[in-house]
Amino acid sequence: MKSTSERYIRATEESVEQLARLFNCTAKYVYMCLTYRQENETARKIRYTAVKHYGATPMIHVPECETIHDMTEGGREVMRQVFSNGVTLRVDKNTGEAWATDRKGAEVLRGQVVKFTDLMKIQAEAENL
């Protein structure tokens, strides 16, 4: 299954058809549930069943970039991502502090990563600078 959603659950066409029969709905409705475009109790049940019983895989789209995990001289653990636009994003793994610099080294973005979704937002922003 292909999706343009930021997150989705990857399932085979066969699984989607079986879920549609099981939940007495259309394959299109199952697709909408698996791409998080439907948010209700039935949609949550379909997603849960797809993953637990049909081998579906939760997926997430993130920007494509080179990622390097470094340890600096001071013992600081930093994840570094270099995007195609020349922006370099760095995230301190211990504190969650995130900052991005342009090709010339000027800081263009600063943020804090508390949850994975925070990292996704900062990555998308860095990629679009």
Side-chain angles (χ1 to χ4, degrees), residues 28-77:
K28 182 170 180 137
Y29 183 76
V30 172
Y31 170 80
M32 297 294 282
C33 295
L34 296 179
T35 57
Y36 292 85
R37 293 180 180 137
Q38 284 291 323
E39 189 56 54
N40 54 44
E41 186 176 345
T42 303
R44 286 188 290 277
K45 287 179 181 179
I46 288 173
R47 290 191 289 266
Y48 177 84
T49 304
V51 172
K52 291 294 180 185
H53 301 289
Y54 289 92
T57 308
M59 305 291 287
I60 191 161
H61 290 287
V62 294
E64 182 178 337
C65 62
E66 177 183 30
T67 303
I68 301 166
H69 297 272
D70 291 331
M71 184 170 291
T72 63
E73 292 83 26
R76 186 176 185 182
E77 294 181 46

Side-chain angles (χ1 to χ4, degrees), residues 20-124:
R21 282 194 300 274
L22 179 67
F23 286 94
N24 196 27
C25 61
T26 65
K28 182 170 180 137
Y29 183 76
V30 172
Y31 170 80
M32 297 294 282
C33 295
L34 296 179
T35 57
Y36 292 85
R37 293 180 180 137
Q38 284 291 323
E39 189 56 54
N40 54 44
E41 186 176 345
T42 303
R44 286 188 290 277
K45 287 179 181 179
I46 288 173
R47 290 191 289 266
Y48 177 84
T49 304
V51 172
K52 291 294 180 185
H53 301 289
Y54 289 92
T57 308
M59 305 291 287
I60 191 161
H61 290 287
V62 294
E64 182 178 337
C65 62
E66 177 183 30
T67 303
I68 301 166
H69 297 272
D70 291 331
M71 184 170 291
T72 63
E73 292 83 26
R76 186 176 185 182
E77 294 181 46
V78 176
M79 177 186 74
R80 183 171 35 123
Q81 295 182 313
V82 181
F83 296 94
S84 59
N85 61 358
V87 172
T88 300
L89 174 66
R90 292 175 178 83
V91 179
D92 186 311
K93 292 181 184 180
N94 296 323
T95 65
E97 178 187 9
W99 65 100
T101 55
D102 63 13
R103 292 178 198 271
K104 297 177 183 177
E107 187 174 301
V108 292
L109 176 68
R110 187 166 281 279
Q112 188 70 28
V113 176
V114 178
K115 298 183 282 184
F116 188 72
T117 53
D118 298 334
L119 177 59
M120 289 174 27
K121 289 176 187 173
I122 291 172
Q123 286 171 325

